[in-house]
Amino acid sequence: MEKHDERDASSDTPRESAGENRWRIVNPQIAASRLAATESRLRQTVVALGESRRELDDLFGLYSARDGGGTPRHSVEVFAGRSAVAALVDRAALDCAREAVSCRPEGPPPGEWAASEAGRDLALLARGVRLRVLYRHSARHHPPLRAHLERLVAAGAEVRTAPEPFGFLTAFDRSVGFIPHHTLPDGAAVIRDPSTLAFLHRVFDQSWEVAVPFDGPPGAAVQCEQHDAILRLLSEGARDETIARRLGMSLRTCRRHIAEAFKEMGAQSRFQAGYLTGRGGRAG
């Protein structure tokens, strides 16, 4: 309903004093349209306020960095797409002057990405940057990947392998690091926060200390570590397919290692191997 000032259509004077201010029934759609218009104006105001807030956040980050007030707020950023991430890593590598570390459980990506990664590593080494790279033991059994590692070592890189490295990490000069995004398949989180980077480097250093230096084909120590990892996973009830995936080897190779480990232990079954592993020693 709305108020209606009832006046004569041809005169400015009221028809009658009693009818000056009366209420009349109107279509509810009229009120709804007025409400929608008001709501639209409010939404536009909220959007404008949000944009202003984001601009202020960006300015705050720049001001903090300029004023020495600490790390900018955006110390962790997420980027999607392999090409975008590769471009960011290349840019960080070009700026790197002292040290680079990388943990690559799966080895370099195939095709042109492998060539790009190898070129980036060799460029770092040519500039005198210390490069430490951590791979899985299974890299020693893969001829193309083994040739890649031999090339890195010949150029001055420090390469080690472990049964199960902790995960993907690439970091430069302890100032920027890259780790995979947990939901975006080809995405990455770019980390610049000093405390987070210090933690990631401690994790890398701990894995590095117990890893085996790469010196070509697998030796007895590497094979022993692989068998220990296999037996540990067997004792946890892991299936052959899971073990192969965890250790970065084919199912056929995994089963060959399982048979060799059983022979070393004198075990006749998975149950017996798990039992002997749980006792903390090899039987053979």
Side-chain angles (χ1 to χ4, degrees), residues 122-142:
L122 294 173
L124 286 167
L125 294 167
R127 298 204 311 269
V129 173
R130 183 192 182 193
L131 175 62
R132 291 186 293 159
V133 189
L134 187 60
Y135 283 87
R136 273 198 178 110
H137 281 333
S138 57
R140 299 169 182 259
H141 299 277
H142 190 270

Side-chain angles (χ1 to χ4, degrees), residues 104-128:
R104 304 169 186 172
E106 304 298 335
E112 60 179 296
W113 302 103
S116 174
E117 188 171 279
R120 183 172 63 235
D121 289 344
L122 294 173
L124 286 167
L125 294 167
R127 298 204 311 269

Side-chain angles (χ1 to χ4, degrees), residues 8-31:
D8 188 271
S10 61
S11 173
D12 292 335
T13 59
R15 287 181 181 175
E16 50 183 288
S17 58
E20 281 188 6
N21 295 309
R22 294 183 178 181
W23 292 92
R24 69 173 179 173
I25 299 175
V26 298
N27 190 331
Q29 291 294 335
I30 297 175

Side-chain angles (χ1 to χ4, degrees), residues 153-173:
V153 171
E158 300 172 53
V159 180
R160 296 187 181 185
T161 64
E164 289 186 272
F166 61 88
F168 284 95
L169 168 68
T170 297
F172 301 98
D173 282 341

